[in-house]
Amino acid sequence: KWETGLMLCIYGTENGCLIERPDGAASEIPGAIWLDLVEPTDAEEAAVEAALGIDIPTREELAEIEASSRLYQEDGAAFMTANLIRRGENDQPESSPVTFIIKDNTLITIRYHHPQAFPAYVKRAMKPQTTEMTGWGVLISLLEAVVDRAADHLERVGQIVDETSRKTFGTGPTLAGTAPKLRQPRRRDVSLQQLIENIGEEGDFTSKMRESLVSIGRVVAFMQAIIDQMRDTKAMKENRARIKILQRDIVSLTDHASFLNGKISFLLDAVLGLIS
């Protein structure tokens, strides 16, 4: 739908599945479970604001870095902003704020880039779900998809770091039960300049990913504080349990990103030493 220029995606539910309302008309907003605004126009923002009685933050307001500007409640809605990462053109990392708004039983997302977690979640959610399809449920599922995508990114960084390490030190894996190989001289066809560029790119990406995970962690903690104050229903108990798992995953990935940053710093020092 993004390719067709339609920037307001409206989703409902049917038989435990997420369904997209194809016309994207303002009349479809009441009763929707999720409104996804991608680079919205002024008219689209105004239609959502009028239907739900909220004030949608502008793009400039999304870029505010103060915690008080990213997490707040207003007009009976909760506003939460986190920086999300994607691999852009030439495999370069792109970081941009995404705002999640919960009003009653409706989730509203406002974004100005295209994290791959969004279409991945939509594709999966269009099949029958075991979790209740409420605004809160969709928000938690969407953040789970974001964290899963972050794990995939960090796994790829780890593979690139390991490959760079082998090129730097001229070592490779040995078979179990065999004597370790003597270190071979570094191959002359390995470009140290290229290694530095690769290390720098992955270091930049890992740093941005860690910042993103920290901002997502703040959003999840804010969500937990709100849900803890809500009526204790079966759905809310399920949401609390999912949030706790999500928080543990975020902490684990943040620690792993810090570990990768340490390895990258060591490799950078090693390559600079070889150049010297």
Side-chain angles (χ1 to χ4, degrees):
K1 195 166 186 178
W2 302 309
E3 288 80 0
T4 63
L6 298 174
M7 302 303 180
L8 172 58
C9 301
I10 302 176
Y11 297 95
T13 58
E14 185 176 297
N15 298 324
C17 304
L18 193 72
I19 59 170
E20 184 175 1
R21 297 179 179 173
D23 54 2
S27 59
E28 297 285 346
I29 294 177
I33 200 76
W34 177 22
L35 306 173
D36 187 23
L37 285 77
V38 188
E39 300 185 22
T41 63
D42 292 341
E44 289 167 339
E45 286 188 4
V48 174
E49 289 176 340
L52 300 180
I54 59 175
D55 181 19
I56 292 178
T58 64
R59 187 169 190 174
E60 292 72 22
E61 291 171 338
L62 292 187
E64 292 289 339
I65 62 173
E66 295 85 357
S68 60
S69 300
R70 288 176 172 258
L71 307 170
Y72 62 95
Q73 291 179 278
E74 183 179 85
D75 298 327
F79 295 75
M80 300 158 282
T81 300
N83 284 334
L84 301 190
I85 300 291
R86 71 180 294 269
R87 292 271 190 179
E89 295 182 4
N90 300 321
D91 217 28
Q92 296 300 309
E94 294 179 0
S95 174
S96 182
V98 176
T99 292
F100 305 89
I101 305 172
I102 282 282
K103 176 69 181 289
D104 297 328
N105 194 38
T106 303
L107 168 66
I108 306 99
T109 53
I110 305 103
R111 55 197 176 93
Y112 293 87
H113 73 322
H114 306 286
Q116 292 301 313
F118 279 71
Y121 166 68
V122 169
K123 182 178 180 181
R124 185 172 68 246
M126 287 186 172
K127 300 176 183 178
Q129 301 294 297
T130 57
T131 57
E132 190 170 350
M133 297 296 286
T134 63
W136 281 105
V138 172
L139 172 57
I140 295 172
S141 295
L142 190 56
L143 290 176
E144 288 172 344
V146 169
V147 171
D148 287 344
R149 188 70 180 174
D152 293 339
H153 282 310
L154 290 178
E155 182 179 358
R156 182 185 175 192
V157 170
Q159 292 171 349
I160 293 173
V161 169
D162 288 343
E163 179 63 24
T164 304
S165 178
R166 286 192 289 270
K167 290 180 178 178
T168 302
F169 301 110
T171 59
T174 59
L175 295 176
T178 62
K181 295 181 180 179
L182 294 176
R183 191 178 71 82
Q184 300 296 322
R186 183 176 52 82
R187 293 174 54 185
R188 295 182 181 275
D189 60 351
V190 172
S191 169
L192 295 178
Q193 179 178 345
Q194 185 63 47
L195 288 180
I196 284 184
E197 291 176 359
N198 292 342
I199 293 169
E201 289 176 0
E202 298 311 313
D204 181 43
F205 181 86
T206 307
S207 295
K208 284 184 168 62
M209 179 58 72
R210 191 179 186 283
E211 293 173 358
S212 174
L213 288 168
V214 169
S215 69
I216 296 170
R218 290 172 178 164
V219 166
V220 173
F222 187 73
M223 289 167 52
Q224 184 181 37
I226 295 174
I227 287 179
D228 285 345
Q229 298 173 1
M230 298 177 70
R231 190 164 55 89
D232 199 14
T233 63
K234 181 180 178 181
M236 285 299 110
K237 289 181 179 179
E238 178 183 320
N239 289 338
R240 289 191 190 100
R242 294 174 65 193
I243 284 177
K244 288 181 180 179
I245 295 173
L246 192 57
Q247 286 178 315
R248 287 198 294 267
D249 289 343
I250 291 170
V251 170
S252 177
L253 289 177
T254 303
D255 291 343
H256 187 54
S258 299
F259 167 73
L260 288 174
N261 266 330
K263 291 185 68 174
I264 289 170
S265 297
F266 168 73
L267 277 177
L268 182 59
D269 291 340
V271 174
L272 291 173
L274 290 174
I275 291 175
S276 298

